[in-house]
Amino acid sequence: MSNEYLVEVKNLKQYFPVRNSKGKLVPLKAVDDVSFAIKPGETLGLVGESGCGKTTVGRSLLRLYKPTAGEIWFDGQLVTDKNMHEHRKEMQMVFQDPYSSLDPRMTVEDIIGEPLDIHKLCKNKAERRERVLELMKTVGLNAEQATRYPHEFSGGQRQRIGIARALAVNPRFIVCDEPVSALDVSIQAQVVNMFEDLQQQLGMAYLFIAHDLLVVHHMSDRIAVMYLGKIMEVADSDSVINHPIHPYTESLLSAVPIPDPKIARTRQRIVLEGDVPSPMNMPQGCPFRTRCRYATEQCAAECPTLTDRGNGHFVACWNR
């Protein structure tokens, strides 16, 4: 394996057995043959509509779900069930919902200190408390808030607690699972800026999962666009935003509001027809073909693979 990349995901599949209307167990293909790589200190944005498998990719990568198939490599080493505990310190997650991801019965000090206890990173209580207060200061919380409980904080403050917990073990890679979607818009900018500042200080790599393309563009070095468990397009963030190739990426971008009314009036909105197919009953060939205006017989016959269109711009489409 090349050490150019910190994280490499190869042909990741995550299928969940569910019962269909006839009571028969069928595989729900939440993630279907996804591959990508992230360099040290880089941010890869992962975007797509609800239910496309973004969160499942992040959770499978950290083995919160055991992958159905595929390989995950971290720093040139294959991650398995046996060595995951060693890697757990290096790979952390900030969860989407700051209201349900913190234990309501634990104080802030215990929430942030728990990873320190699990990995035995502090020799005594005084050292542990000092480290917890240092982490709280890093994310903009006061020392006197250490003895409070999660219900005494706002959503933005709770998300800061979650970020401090993730930082406690000095990780080199963090999965940020829609970390600002549950927050007020005024708080979102503060949390996004904090992620950027922490990355500059600590040199971490991020997998930044989000709905908001403008936030992802601001945060990410590269963007991967996902639809129905598959990656449709990957390129550096400016290329994806300014020169999208895949019809799904085009339609996503056409839905992003533009603050300039003159430009907004001239822009054409690409409305997708039809409904998203069920992951339990995927269409043959390209998963997007049932809603694509460029679809041909070849799209129904076989699924396109990601191909390089130049300058590292990868697209999975037969006709673009």
Side-chain angles (χ1 to χ4, degrees), residues 158-189:
R158 289 187 206 195
Q159 198 59 293
R160 287 167 189 266
I161 296 166
I163 294 166
R165 175 177 62 186
L167 292 175
V169 289
N170 289 322
R172 293 159 65 195
F173 171 64
I174 296 183
V175 174
C176 307
D177 180 17
E178 303 203 26
V180 295
S181 66
L183 307 178
D184 292 340
V185 175
S186 57
I187 308 297
Q188 284 183 5

Side-chain angles (χ1 to χ4, degrees), residues 13-19 25-31 53 55-57 59-60 64-68 279-280:
K13 294 183 181 181
Q14 185 66 63
Y15 298 171
F16 298 107
V18 292
R19 293 194 184 278
L25 272 180
V26 293
L28 185 150
K29 298 180 178 181
V31 178
T55 293
T56 308
V57 166
R59 292 185 170 219
S60 303
L64 298 182
Y65 300 147
K66 187 174 179 181
T68 307
M280 288 160 55

Side-chain angles (χ1 to χ4, degrees), residues 240-262:
V240 169
I241 299 297
N242 300 322
H243 307 288
I245 296 176
H246 199 283
Y248 177 60
T249 312
E250 289 178 341
S251 70
L252 275 184
L253 287 165
S254 78
V256 175
I258 292 178
D260 187 326
K262 285 182 182 172

